[in-house]
Amino acid sequence: MSSSFELSHGVGSATGIAPLARGAIEQAPCRVAFVSETWQPEINGVTHTLGQLVAQLSARGYPMQLVRPRPDDGDRDPAMDAELQVKALPVLDYDGVHMGITSPRRLRDHWRTHRPDVIYIATEGPLGLIALRVARQLGIAVVSGFHTNFDHYSQHYILLRIVRPFVRTFLKRFHNRTQITLVPTSAQAERMTKAGYRNVKVMGRGLDPARFSPRFRDRALRRAWGASDDDCVALHVGRLAVEKNVTLLIETLEAMRAANPAQIAVVVGDGPLRQEAERRLPWVHFAGFLRDQALARHYASADLFLFPSLSETFGNVVTEAMASGLATIAFDYAAASELIERGREGVTVACNNPAGFVAAAIELAADTERVRAQGRAASARVSSLGWERIAETFIGHLHQAQEVGDARKDLSAV
């Protein structure tokens, strides 16, 4: 476990690529452009990660700019020195998600006026593709992020399903045209490298320990759920959509209730399957989307975290739940695989074993003492995952990409 954990936080490389040069983060701040088709206040793993990285870079004095689809309110991000908002196109049958589109000429003119030293492309949609093309034309270094499991998502959405036969080829070609591709876990880096992706490096995900902690446990909130101090409250946090395996979540909660008619459960989140979940689980407390202190209180006031998703590249909610003192049941991949030692901080189940997921939830929920012990171990396990260290890894990769780009320009001038 230790080597995998260290690799996911930039200590080494699972791909045979040399680790960061010592002192890389001590260089003068470079000008960074973020390109993303999703941005705060949208709630998803991509915006969460980008928001944390922006905060860390801002604190270190890095000049930043942003290229993104125009939000409904037209507001601009105050952390940015420059921002280009482009036309937003809704994604068919995926509420609240947009793709960005603009002319290469407009983006080229923008970057000629506000030239960055390095560009971070977080999404591989039309906007990311245009940005990559323009960056190469202008000789600007590009780092790309692999934040979304498109291959899995494409099973569930019409537009992505149509282009699914081309997705794998497109993604490999896209990322191989950038200087570095960042992924959140060493296991994913190994898989992608074997599949022919080049220059894959690992940048893990961090955690704000001041935001998620067992100290936010709220007895009044538990009483509102009908839970005593001795009850085991099951919690799920996430988008209620087909790609998040919500059907298995519903089946698991139904089975837990059948095994224990007094079982209490809370679901935080919203999405197209919420109505179906509420219909089948009338006894569950549905809280909708929550942020900030309310979200932290809900985490810490539960005991057992259920995470049936198989579509994550990482799964930030797993670390948030663990930090809040919850034992976690999840499939054995992404964050859970990196951070949970079976039977110590929770239970991981083989990805092809949904029945095992249900059985593990029933068994663990019946032993409140074991749940609480695993929750304490989980909180201790992730206590050192600060975003400061993740940002240092990110900054090091930005500078490395810039140096590679500068070297190529020098060679082309010879």
Side-chain angles (χ1 to χ4, degrees):
M1 287 295 296
S2 60
S3 61
S4 176
F5 172 76
E6 289 170 354
L7 287 168
S8 71
H9 289 77
V11 177
S13 171
T15 64
I17 299 170
L20 296 179
R22 189 176 299 275
I25 63 169
E26 297 175 359
Q27 299 181 32
C30 56
R31 297 176 300 241
V32 182
F34 288 90
V35 178
S36 179
E37 311 207 42
T38 182
W39 201 259
Q40 295 177 337
E42 296 170 19
I43 301 175
N44 54 60
V46 180
T47 61
H48 175 74
T49 297
L50 294 177
Q52 294 292 339
L53 293 175
V54 165
Q56 293 292 327
L57 266 64
S58 179
R60 290 164 169 79
Y62 275 70
M64 293 176 292
Q65 60 170 279
L66 173 63
V67 180
R68 61 162 166 167
R70 185 177 299 107
D72 293 339
D73 57 14
D75 284 353
R76 294 178 175 270
D77 191 316
M80 299 297 152
D81 297 312
E83 180 172 337
L84 177 64
Q85 296 183 355
V86 305
K87 184 176 181 179
L89 301 176
V91 175
L92 185 64
D93 73 357
Y94 200 120
D95 293 340
V97 176
H98 295 83
M99 297 183 297
I101 192 75
T102 189
S103 69
R105 179 178 180 178
R106 184 184 179 205
L107 183 55
R108 190 162 48 243
D109 290 344
H110 173 77
W111 276 340
R112 280 173 174 161
T113 303
H114 307 281
R115 184 183 176 91
D117 297 311
V118 60
I119 299 165
Y120 182 67
I121 301 178
T123 54
E124 305 96 330
L127 182 58
L129 185 60
I130 293 168
L132 177 58
R133 183 181 307 162
V134 171
R136 288 169 64 88
Q137 291 172 352
L138 297 177
I140 303 172
V142 177
V143 175
S144 59
F146 203 98
H147 290 268
T148 304
N149 189 342
F150 281 102
D151 195 44
H152 190 92
Y153 273 56
S154 64
Q155 300 175 42
H156 306 293
Y157 291 96
I158 294 173
L159 180 61
L160 293 178
R161 191 158 57 240
I162 292 172
V163 301
R164 190 181 186 199
F166 311 101
V167 166
R168 291 180 179 175
T169 300
F170 164 76
L171 290 176
K172 188 194 306 185
R173 177 173 170 77
F174 179 96
H175 286 283
N176 282 348
R177 294 173 71 201
T178 70
Q179 273 71 46
I180 296 171
T181 295
L182 299 180
V183 299
T185 67
S186 55
Q188 186 177 11
E190 291 168 359
R191 287 194 303 270
M192 290 175 62
T193 300
K194 288 178 181 177
Y197 285 78
R198 299 189 295 270
N199 297 327
V200 180
K201 298 190 179 182
V202 182
M203 180 189 73
R205 299 294 184 261
L207 178 75
D208 183 354
R211 183 181 177 194
F212 300 103
S213 168
R215 69 177 180 274
F216 296 124
R217 194 172 182 85
D218 187 333
R219 284 186 173 179
L221 181 57
R222 286 178 62 87
R223 286 196 299 269
W225 297 336
S228 70
D229 290 345
D230 296 328
D231 288 324
C232 176
V233 176
L235 175 72
H236 172 76
V237 176
R239 175 175 163 83
L240 301 179
V242 62
E243 77 276 4
K244 298 297 185 180
N245 211 6
V246 171
T247 299
L248 180 58
L249 173 68
I250 294 172
E251 293 171 354
T252 301
L253 290 172
E254 287 176 332
M256 293 172 72
R257 183 75 162 185
N260 175 18
Q263 180 67 57
I264 297 169
V266 179
V267 172
V268 174
D270 210 336
L273 292 185
R274 177 172 176 175
Q275 186 174 5
E276 171 68 8
E278 289 182 325
R279 183 185 66 80
R280 291 179 57 179
L281 304 168
W283 55 276
V284 171
H285 301 270
F286 286 85
F289 276 126
L290 297 176
R291 293 178 179 271
D292 304 325
Q293 191 61 31
L295 177 59
R297 286 172 57 242
H298 276 68
Y299 270 126
S301 300
D303 304 283
L304 178 63
F305 188 65
L306 302 176
F307 192 62
S309 176
L310 284 164
S311 64
E312 311 302 313
T313 54
F314 187 75
N316 291 305
V317 293
V318 171
T319 57
E320 293 170 357
M322 293 176 69
S324 302
L326 276 62
T328 296
I329 296 177
F331 286 110
D332 188 17
Y333 84 115
S337 179
E338 298 270 327
L339 297 170
I340 296 174
E341 181 179 346
R342 182 180 175 89
R344 179 172 175 81
E345 298 90 4
V347 178
T348 55
V349 180
C351 293
N352 61 353
N353 188 12
F357 186 96
V358 176
I362 294 172
E363 179 183 357
L364 190 55
D367 190 342
T368 302
E369 184 175 339
R370 184 154 62 105
V371 168
R372 301 281 169 80
Q374 290 184 4
R376 290 190 293 271
S379 182
R381 179 74 172 92
V382 299
S383 61
S384 63
L385 302 187
W387 277 103
E388 295 83 358
R389 186 176 177 186
I390 305 305
E392 290 173 358
T393 300
F394 182 60
I395 289 169
H397 291 316
L398 294 178
H399 283 294
Q400 283 189 347
Q402 181 186 2
E403 290 168 2
V404 170
D406 289 345
R408 287 179 179 174
K409 284 188 290 186
D410 290 344
L411 287 173
S412 65
V414 174

